[in-house]
């Protein structure tokens, strides 16, 4: 302890500070020389004797033998950033290390108490980790999806569902391009995981939506001709070429009527052998598809007056799990079904749209703007279906060329002045221009898509990006009304348009097989509707004989069933105003008509449960909800489907 004190005192003394005198020390004070002792160093960068600046000696390191540069200590050039000797970065992580870290961080986020009960923030934080792994090591995206699935026990078949050859690569793409910290992430966490509330509908500004104002004056309105066109509307065929007669039709795991299907209550003995013509928990076998297509022209009276055209609102493929689907299976199904439609329905055109099952992976699509090498990853499908449609004589080459730039969507102007606008309901970019063109020349327009925009709000995305008039997708017989001003005033005066949601030909799930026939005035294109169905419950009785097959029969006439006592002429169109009056004057006043609607919704299936209590106002509300956001805002949830 003595030496440090003596050194300290000595330094103070040299600095001219008075200390108490001791016999062991020198004088009590010392005054240093006024000139810097230049002999202290051999050389200087400046004049060490100058009094205007501190001396800057040249210093050499005896260990490294480096002479330190003048700029290092020159007060006039103090470096603001050390750019020539940065601190080292950690080594680049390998792809597998990134995977391990990503998984570890997602688990850490799930367990971190700082999030409390905020599952939405946890979910979006986890998506951020997945996004950066997808960007840095996309080959590990599917592996992360499988690891997360297994850790959180999302499924018992994680590798099959989320591996590299199924949904894993799709999820990786989604994470790469999605705004996972914003609307996209909230939607993903809501729709797929139920961990976020449904995000609000994005505001839609229609001020400059159209490129030009309405024509002024408007073209003269078309007049009714009295000539009736006959139009067939079929949807959701879902042919199952893998359907296995005699397999378990009441299975515990999707999809039934397949080898290996079983009922967990009777795993060693078949409870319900799959009938030859189909079952309620199965897609449509070849036998049912051919029986339906055989019945359609006869029931539609095509011998007396041929079907003028058909609208097909999508979904050809069976509901296989992802790992049993493939591009080749998709092409096979498209080839089979479009060929059958052509051969059974005759020479009249079929205007078709893609359903969410009509590609591979199912329910997937990507915009062309996504960039290379992904921008054309679904073009193989667009090229095949449009070529099939041209081959069958339904559209011409110029329409094919247009469809290839719009995700297989196209527009056809018929000679009767009706414009058919088909949409891939994943992308509706060209709809505005087509509607503008139709308005300019006074055409009536029918808009076709697959995924509906409204009803109970559970099928469509909440943003009103698709405004089709003919839909499929739900497999059920439904309709929805559009109103002006986003349905802020729901009334007959504000009813604007109606969407017709077609029943399915497939019985899946718990439905009868059905289709529609419309009668349409060729001048104004307003229509009336007839509905036909086959009782799937009777199909078991058709096995073990070949004398007769399933019976398709008339189910109901729309005008006669719903329109009694409504002041409407026999030839007046079944338009949005009429449908609103049906809901207002008939259904609200007589709940039994809602019960009838509920029965027809399932195509008179014995599996349909009655509609009572809250179901009644809920159904009426769905009918008045042309877009999902309106249903989610106004309606009692939980009664949209009879399946």
């Amino acid at each position: 302890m003595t030496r440090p004190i003596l050194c300290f005192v000595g330094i103070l003394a040299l600095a001219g500070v008075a200390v108490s005198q001791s016999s062991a020390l020198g004088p009590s004070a010392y005054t240093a020389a006024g000139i810097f002792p230049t002999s202290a160093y051999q050389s200087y960068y400046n004049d060490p004797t100058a009094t205007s600046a501190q001396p800057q000696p040249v210093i050499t390191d005896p260990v490294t033998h480096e002479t330190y540069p003048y700029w290092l200590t020159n007060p006039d050039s103090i470096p603001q950033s050390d750019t020539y000797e940065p601190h080292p970065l950690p080594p680049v992580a390998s792809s597998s290390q990134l995977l391990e870290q990503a998984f570890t961080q997602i688990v850490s986020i799930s367990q971190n108490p700082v999030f409390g009960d905020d599952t939405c923030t946890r979910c979006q934080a986890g998506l951020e980790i997945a996004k950066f792994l997808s960007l840095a090591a996309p080959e590990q995206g599917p592996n992360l999806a499988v690891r997360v699935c297994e850790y959180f026990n999302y499924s018992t078949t994680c590798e099959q569902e989320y591996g590299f050859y199924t949904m894993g690569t799709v999820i990786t793409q989604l994470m790469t391009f999605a705004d996972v910290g914003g609307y996209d992430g909230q939607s993903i966490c809501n729709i797929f995981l139920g961990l976020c509330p449904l995000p609000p509908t994005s505001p839609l500004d229609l001020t400059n939506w159209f490129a030009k104002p309405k024509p002024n004056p408007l073209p003269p309105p078309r007049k009714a001709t009295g000539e009736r066109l006959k139009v067939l509307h079929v949807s959701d065929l879902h042919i199952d070429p893998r359907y296995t007669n005699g397999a378990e039709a009441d299975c515990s795991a999707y999809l039934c009527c397949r080898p290996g299907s079983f009922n967990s209550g009777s795993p060693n003995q078949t409870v319900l052998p799959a009938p030859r013509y189909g079952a309620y928990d199965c897609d449509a076998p070849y036998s049912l598809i051919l029986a339906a297509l055989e019945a359609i022209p006869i029931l539609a009276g095509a011998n007396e007056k041929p079907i003028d055209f058909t609208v097909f609102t999508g979904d050809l493929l069976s509901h296989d799990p992802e790992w049993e689907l493939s591009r080749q299976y998709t092409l096979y199904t498209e080839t089979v079904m479009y060929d059958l439609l052509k051969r059974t329905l005759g020479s009249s055109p079929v205007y078709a749209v893609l359903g969410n099952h009509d590609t591979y992976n199912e329910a997937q699509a990507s915009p062309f703007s996504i960039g290379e090498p992904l921008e054309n990853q679904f073009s193989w499908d667009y090229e095949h279906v449009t070529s099939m449609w041209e081959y069958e004589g339904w559209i011409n080459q110029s329409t094919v060329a247009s469809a290839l730039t719009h995700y297989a969507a196209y527009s056809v102007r018929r000679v009767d002045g009706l414009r058919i606008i088909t949409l891939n309901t994943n992308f509706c970019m060209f709809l505005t221009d087509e509607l503008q063109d139709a308005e300019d020349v006074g055409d009536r327009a029918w808009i076709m898509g697959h995924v509906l925009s409204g009803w109970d709000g559970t099928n469509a995305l909440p943003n009103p990006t698709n405004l089709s008039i003919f839909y499929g997708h739900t497999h059920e017989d439904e309709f929805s009304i559009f109103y002006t001003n986003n349905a802020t005033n729901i009334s007959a005066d504000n009813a604007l348009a109606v969407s017709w949601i077609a029943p399915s030909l497939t019985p899946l799930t718990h439905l009868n097989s059905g289709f529609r026939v419309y009668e349409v005035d060729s001048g104004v294109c307003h229509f009336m509707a007839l509905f036909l169905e086959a009782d799937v419950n009777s199909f078991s009785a058709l096995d073990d004989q070949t004398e007769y097959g399933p019976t398709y029969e008339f189910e109901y006439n729309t005008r006669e069933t719903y329109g009694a006592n409504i002041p409407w002429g026999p030839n007046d169109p079944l338009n949005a105003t009429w449908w609103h009056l049906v809901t207002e004057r008939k259904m609200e006043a007589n709940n039994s008509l809602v019960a009838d609607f509920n029965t027809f919704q399932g195509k008179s299936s014995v599996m349909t449960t009655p509609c009572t209590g809250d179901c009644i106002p809920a159904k009426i509300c769905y009918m008045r909800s042309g877009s999902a956001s309106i249903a989610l805002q106004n309606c009692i949830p939980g009664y949209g489907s009879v399946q």
Side-chain angles (χ1 to χ4, degrees):
M1 295 295 294
T2 305
R3 281 181 78 163
I5 294 175
L6 288 175
C7 289
F8 181 63
V9 172
I11 291 170
L12 293 179
L14 289 174
V17 178
V19 297
S20 60
Q21 190 173 13
S22 169
S23 60
L25 301 176
S28 62
Y30 174 79
T31 301
I35 298 175
F36 182 82
T38 57
S39 60
Y41 297 97
Q42 290 184 349
S43 60
Y44 296 84
Y45 288 116
N46 64 353
D47 180 2
T49 62
T51 58
S52 59
Q54 288 294 312
Q56 294 288 343
V58 177
I59 304 296
T60 299
D61 190 312
V63 175
T64 65
H65 307 294
E66 175 187 5
T67 299
Y68 296 103
Y70 180 32
W71 60 260
L72 192 63
T73 55
N74 182 0
D76 296 327
S77 60
I78 298 174
Q80 300 302 301
S81 178
D82 182 356
T83 59
Y84 78 99
E85 50 181 12
H87 295 290
L89 292 171
V92 175
S94 68
S95 174
S96 59
Q97 287 175 315
L98 289 173
L99 170 63
E100 292 302 321
Q101 286 297 316
F103 176 71
T104 300
Q105 290 304 302
I106 289 174
V107 171
S108 177
I109 289 169
S110 73
Q111 297 174 346
N112 193 330
V114 73
F115 291 103
D117 296 328
D118 190 351
T119 60
C120 186
T121 302
R122 283 185 197 271
C123 182
Q124 288 191 266
L127 292 183
E128 293 283 4
I129 303 297
K131 179 179 182 69
F132 282 100
L133 178 68
S134 299
L135 288 165
E139 71 278 9
Q140 295 291 0
N143 295 329
L144 179 65
V146 172
R147 293 275 297 275
V148 170
C149 173
E150 291 173 342
Y151 181 83
F152 292 104
N153 198 26
Y154 289 144
S155 172
T156 58
T157 56
C158 294
E159 181 65 42
Q160 286 180 309
E161 292 183 56
Y162 302 111
F164 184 85
Y165 294 103
T166 50
M167 294 300 294
T169 50
V170 175
I171 292 171
T172 303
Q173 280 196 41
L174 179 63
M175 291 297 99
T176 298
F177 294 99
D179 175 16
V180 296
Y183 183 95
D184 295 344
Q186 190 173 348
S187 296
I188 293 167
C189 291
N190 169 264
I191 295 170
F192 297 106
L193 300 171
L195 297 176
C196 280
L198 187 69
T201 301
S202 300
L204 185 62
D205 183 6
L206 297 176
T207 305
N208 298 309
W209 193 270
F210 289 89
K212 55 184 178 180
K214 279 181 172 288
N216 188 14
L218 288 169
R222 293 184 178 271
K223 297 181 179 179
T225 65
E227 177 189 359
R228 296 289 177 85
L229 302 177
K230 191 173 292 182
V231 180
L232 171 67
H233 187 179
V234 291
S235 193
D236 295 87
L237 307 179
H238 292 292
I239 186 172
D240 185 2
R242 298 163 170 171
Y243 186 99
T244 305
N245 294 357
E248 181 61 73
D250 185 19
C251 69
S252 301
Y254 207 68
L255 181 67
C256 299
C257 301
R258 289 287 186 81
S261 299
F262 67 95
N263 185 302
S264 59
S266 178
N268 298 318
Q269 184 174 355
T270 300
V271 174
L272 177 63
R276 181 161 46 108
Y277 287 101
Y280 281 125
D281 288 313
C282 310
D283 270 325
Y286 260 106
S287 298
L288 179 60
I289 292 291
L290 269 295
L293 293 177
E294 178 185 334
I296 285 171
I298 297 172
L299 292 175
N303 291 335
E304 297 180 6
K305 186 184 187 310
I307 295 171
D308 290 278
F309 63 90
T310 297
V311 292
F312 169 57
T313 45
D315 268 8
L316 299 169
L317 273 76
S318 52
H319 292 80
D320 291 67
E322 293 291 339
W323 56 90
E324 294 181 358
L325 294 170
S326 66
R327 180 184 297 194
Q328 190 172 25
Y329 186 65
T330 302
L331 297 175
Y332 167 89
T333 304
E334 291 169 349
T335 301
V336 166
M337 284 313 309
Y338 289 130
D339 170 66
L340 283 175
L341 289 173
K342 175 66 174 182
R343 288 195 285 127
T344 56
L345 299 181
S347 59
S348 63
V350 175
Y351 303 118
V353 302
L354 288 181
N356 59 295
H357 284 274
D358 298 333
T359 189
Y360 174 73
N361 296 98
E362 63 98 5
Q364 306 300 323
S366 62
F368 295 140
S369 59
I370 200 171
E372 290 287 0
L374 301 175
E375 63 183 37
N376 292 312
Q377 62 184 316
F378 293 99
S379 293
W380 60 270
D381 197 27
Y382 309 144
E383 292 167 1
H384 186 252
V385 293
T386 55
S387 296
M388 287 289 299
W389 299 337
E390 182 186 16
Y391 175 81
E392 304 297 357
W394 301 332
I395 60 175
N396 58 31
Q397 192 170 14
S398 63
T399 304
V400 169
S402 174
L404 290 176
T405 65
H406 294 103
Y407 313 98
Y410 61 89
S411 174
V412 172
R413 188 173 188 262
R414 292 172 46 83
V415 294
D416 50 30
L418 174 63
R419 188 178 299 246
I420 303 288
I421 304 172
T422 74
L423 299 176
N424 179 333
T425 44
N426 290 303
F427 307 99
C428 305
M429 285 75 165
F430 83 134
L431 176 59
T432 300
D433 292 340
E434 290 297 329
L435 291 176
Q436 179 76 66
D437 291 345
E439 187 176 49
D440 288 346
V441 297
D443 285 349
R444 295 288 299 177
W446 281 13
I447 308 169
M448 295 169 50
H450 178 68
V451 178
L452 61 162
S453 60
W455 188 243
D456 66 341
T458 59
N459 285 281
L461 294 176
N463 280 314
T465 55
N466 43 14
L467 299 172
S468 304
I469 304 300
F470 295 91
Y471 291 122
H473 188 63
T474 68
H475 297 197
E476 301 177 22
D477 178 357
E478 299 160 345
F479 71 91
S480 285
I481 306 168
F482 295 91
Y483 297 86
T484 58
N485 300 316
N486 288 325
T488 51
N489 183 353
I490 295 177
S491 66
D493 290 339
N494 292 318
L496 184 65
V498 62
S499 64
W500 298 78
I501 305 161
S504 63
L505 212 62
T506 183
L508 198 70
T509 304
H510 297 170
L511 304 168
N512 281 336
S513 174
F515 57 91
R516 288 178 177 169
V517 177
Y518 304 128
E519 287 188 343
V520 183
D521 186 282
S522 64
V524 294
C525 299
H526 292 146
F527 50 90
M528 301 74 179
L530 307 173
F531 298 82
L532 302 105
E533 56 82 25
D535 179 17
V536 176
N537 193 52
S538 67
F539 286 178
S540 292
L542 302 177
D543 288 345
D544 302 323
Q545 59 83 42
T546 57
E547 184 178 353
Y548 51 85
T551 298
Y552 279 85
E553 59 186 0
F554 173 78
E555 186 179 23
Y556 73 97
N557 177 299
T558 305
R559 185 186 298 272
E560 294 174 359
T561 299
Y562 296 116
N565 302 322
I566 290 179
W568 216 254
N571 294 313
D572 290 341
L574 306 184
N575 58 15
T577 303
W578 183 84
W579 275 114
H580 179 85
L581 293 174
V582 168
T583 65
E584 183 179 78
R585 300 188 183 184
K586 300 287 293 181
M587 292 184 172
E588 288 182 331
N590 180 6
N591 293 166
S592 65
L593 196 58
V594 179
D596 291 341
F597 174 89
N598 186 74
T599 297
F600 296 143
Q601 188 177 346
K603 293 163 280 183
S604 301
S605 169
V606 297
M607 305 292 285
T608 299
T609 56
C611 180
T612 59
D614 284 346
C615 173
I616 292 171
K619 294 273 191 189
I620 295 173
C621 188
Y622 304 153
M623 298 172 197
R624 294 172 175 173
S625 301
S627 66
S629 55
I630 294 171
L632 295 171
Q633 174 181 300
N634 296 339
C635 304
I636 302 170
Y639 298 97
S641 176
V642 298
Q643 298 179 52

